[in-house]
Amino acid sequence: MCSSWVVLAFCCLGQLCADQSLKPQIAAPQLATNNPTLTTVALEKPFCMFDSSLHPNKSYVIYLYAMKETASAISSLVTDNSGKPLDSTFQQTSGGQLGPYKAALFDVPNCASPPRFADVGDVNKVSDVLKQYLFRVGDDGTCLYDPNFLAVCNPPLAPDTTYRFKYVLLDSTEGIMKDQTLWSDPIKTRRVKLPLKIDTWPGRRSGDMIVITSILSVLVFLLLAGFLASVSSAAMGSKDSSAETRCMSQTIQQSEPRPQLSSE
């Protein structure tokens, strides 16, 4: 069952790559359930998107940039005047409010040698296979507060906030951008539910169901009270009967004539 839906998702991913839309896409539901979450967004990695820009004997990496949709269009550039990608961080951009920040750095996905489908059926390997196809933005909850953290920080996103994402192909040797995707379509994280709106019942209940449940509860209470009263009454009656029996026995014993002792 697990292998079937993952294979289906991989087929959808192959169709996406064939379109060459050059735009980050949110992961298909078959690949990532509950997506987006309050603080994360799972994206499909840029398989086959930059093949035409890759050259032999060159080293490349992928940068992923993120920014809030409310950031101005002027500040959406991810390179400086010399073509070098910006190293702007989450803190420097107020979490993407002032412009894009670098959220991730990873190797160019190998379109010619994807993970083996045989490994998808192995429960112990499914997680590793999906990690090769997906990247989850906002998945690191500790990097902002770790003074020794030196890698690219990927902190949690803000709830109920719309973001856009962009992939950039970097020539590691020259340190300049070779290609980039368009900014993604707006993707909004989920909203936090207010405590008063959270349904704490095991299942959702309508107003009629609440009234019926209340009436049944009262009836059960009355039946239980009546049962306890009857048991108590029976117990009291049993005590009175035993006491009356003892009293009658004593009276009979006292009324019986005592035998006279004969004297010679």
Side-chain angles (χ1 to χ4, degrees), residues 5-6 9-14 16-17 24-36 40-47 62 64 103-110 114-115 125-139 154 167:
W5 65 257
V6 176
F10 286 162
C11 294
C12 296
L13 181 60
L16 171 65
C17 295
Q25 301 288 333
I26 189 170
Q30 295 88 348
L31 284 172
T33 57
N34 190 30
N35 181 44
T40 66
V41 173
L43 300 174
E44 294 176 350
K45 287 186 176 181
F47 274 84
I62 299 292
L64 170 62
L105 183 157
F106 50 83
D107 294 332
V108 179
N110 189 349
K125 296 182 179 180
V126 169
S127 178
D128 293 335
V129 170
L130 292 180
K131 285 180 180 178
Q132 296 182 57
Y133 276 95
L134 303 178
F135 183 82
R136 189 173 291 276
V137 188
D139 203 30
N154 179 31
Y167 286 124

Side-chain angles (χ1 to χ4, degrees), residues 24 43-46 49-50 59-66 78-79 83-88 100-109 135 137 151-152 165-183:
L43 300 174
E44 294 176 350
K45 287 186 176 181
M49 285 187 175
F50 299 122
S59 176
Y60 300 93
V61 293
I62 299 292
Y63 282 0
L64 170 62
Y65 286 90
V78 295
T79 59
K84 292 185 178 180
L86 299 177
D87 285 327
S88 51
Y101 67 91
K102 188 165 62 175
L105 183 157
F106 50 83
D107 294 332
V108 179
F135 183 82
V137 188
V152 178
F165 306 95
K166 176 191 283 283
Y167 286 124
V168 171
L169 177 68
L170 176 72
D171 184 330
S172 302
T173 305
E174 300 178 10
I176 61 175
M177 181 188 70
K178 287 299 183 180
D179 204 349
Q180 63 180 319
T181 67
L182 302 173
W183 283 101

Side-chain angles (χ1 to χ4, degrees), residues 227-240:
F227 175 75
L228 293 176
S230 62
V231 171
S232 176
S233 177
M236 293 297 294
S238 177
K239 289 181 180 179
D240 293 342

Side-chain angles (χ1 to χ4, degrees), residues 68-82:
K68 294 182 180 179
E69 189 183 25
T70 53
S72 66
I74 298 177
S75 62
S76 64
L77 298 177
V78 295
T79 59
D80 58 19
N81 294 332
S82 62

